[in-house]
Amino acid sequence: MTTRRSRNSSGDNPGTLKPRPPKLPEVNFSDQGAVRYLHLGTEWVQGSMLLDAPFDIELEYVQRMMVWLLFVEPDSLAKRHAMQLGLGAGSLTKFCRKKLRIKTTAIELNPQVVAACRLWFKLPADDTKLSVVLGDAAEVAAHEYWRGRVDALQVDLYDQEAAAPVLDSEAFYADCRRLLTEDGCMTVNLFGRASSYGQSLAKITAAFGAARVWAFRPTREGNTVVLALRQPQRPTRAALAERAQTVETRWGLPARKWLRVFKPID
């Protein structure tokens, strides 16, 4: 079972006391063989890292969060910008910065998660292409500063109990859509014991439009990755197969396998 860090937001209410922010969970890790796992005070896995290959992506669903690579020209990556809402163990952030070598921004609410990623999960220090920002994902998604500036938005927002996506409204997904460049796309991890995939998919579809949404079949662990495009794209299977071969050859992701379990929703 795999999830990532959640986001919670609370606005100021004039004339009343500001509510105390929720207590953030303790962060710890465990090693099992060649893999290190991140936990937020529970048995639920929030992310992982291969000890001998810290910049590779170990978990299947996290690999699928990179499916946006099938919808962009590989030679255009140098000018693109990836953003993660939820840092987890830093797998996506590290992959985008170190493997793709593109501008990368990660938004994380819990400072302990950032510290853990730097201490235990080989997250690089910020530089001209990497920025890890302590902040609330809902506020970032709604802020005008980021609108139209993100080519690949990767959304993975869960709390320590892994019950359901913490941010999962049509309004939130509409804000995410406004972050994207004209040919940008969003990938979302949908997982949780109390969540409804159908309801979440309906909200994403309402915000983006059915012609712009693709989805994987669930992994064995129950993670379903959904992709939503700023503008509709319907490449042929031959074009997708060619792009998947390129992604697999250049970056070692199992992209050809994706095509067997990934399709438009309509």
Side-chain angles (χ1 to χ4, degrees):
M1 297 297 185
T2 59
T3 65
R4 289 237 182 134
R5 189 43 234 143
S6 71
R7 298 294 181 275
N8 292 290
S9 63
S10 59
D12 290 332
N13 186 1
T16 67
L17 292 175
K18 187 175 181 179
R20 180 177 298 177
K23 182 179 179 181
L24 296 173
E26 294 294 324
V27 179
N28 60 299
F29 74 92
S30 63
D31 288 346
Q32 297 183 30
V35 182
R36 175 165 292 172
Y37 296 100
L38 179 73
H39 307 276
L40 300 180
T42 72
E43 74 278 9
W44 297 103
V45 171
Q46 306 292 328
S48 68
M49 179 185 72
L50 292 167
L51 293 172
D52 293 335
F55 302 118
D56 290 350
I57 299 176
E58 189 265 331
L59 291 170
E60 182 179 33
Y61 96 87
V62 184
Q63 294 174 347
R64 292 180 178 186
M65 294 284 282
M66 299 300 302
V67 73
W68 60 270
L69 288 170
L70 297 182
F71 293 84
V72 300
E73 288 292 337
D75 292 339
S76 73
L77 279 180
K79 63 181 181 181
R80 294 189 179 272
H81 176 206
M83 175 181 282
Q84 295 82 43
L85 299 183
L87 181 61
S91 297
L92 292 171
T93 303
K94 292 186 297 183
F95 191 90
C96 289
R97 175 63 188 92
K98 300 295 285 189
K99 295 283 188 173
L100 301 185
R101 300 182 181 180
I102 64 175
K103 181 179 178 181
T104 307
T105 303
I107 310 299
E108 174 55 52
L109 185 67
N110 190 339
Q112 290 188 53
V113 170
V114 177
C117 285
R118 293 247 154 88
L119 285 170
W120 304 327
F121 291 89
K122 305 293 185 181
L123 179 66
D126 284 8
D127 58 24
T128 57
K129 284 194 173 182
L130 175 63
S131 180
V132 179
V133 179
L134 283 173
D136 186 292
E139 294 177 2
V140 168
H143 203 288
E144 292 185 3
Y145 176 80
W146 296 104
R147 289 184 181 176
R149 302 180 65 174
V150 179
D151 296 291
L153 181 66
Q154 299 168 305
V155 183
D156 199 356
L157 300 170
Y158 288 82
D159 64 15
Q160 66 271 25
E161 297 301 330
V166 174
L167 295 178
D168 187 42
S169 68
E170 181 182 337
F172 169 68
Y173 293 124
D175 282 340
C176 289
R177 184 173 184 267
R178 284 187 281 268
L179 296 182
L180 299 176
T181 57
E182 282 301 306
D183 64 346
C185 53
M186 173 185 75
T187 50
V188 183
N189 172 41
L190 298 177
F191 167 82
R193 292 162 290 156
S195 65
S196 167
Y197 169 75
Q199 291 178 6
S200 297
L201 184 63
K203 295 168 188 174
I204 294 170
T205 301
F208 281 81
R212 297 170 172 87
V213 180
W214 298 55
F216 280 95
R217 295 176 191 167
T219 65
R220 290 186 300 273
E221 296 79 14
N223 298 83
T224 301
V225 171
V226 173
L227 175 136
L229 299 154
R230 180 71 173 81
Q231 299 294 339
Q233 293 188 49
R234 288 297 174 89
T236 65
R237 299 301 291 183
L240 283 173
E242 182 178 355
R243 187 66 56 74
Q245 178 65 61
T246 299
V247 170
E248 196 155 322
T249 300
R250 289 195 183 186
W251 300 297
L253 294 167
R256 290 180 297 174
K257 179 181 176 182
W258 293 345
L259 300 184
R260 300 197 295 268
V261 290
F262 178 67
K263 65 180 182 179
I265 65 166
D266 67 351

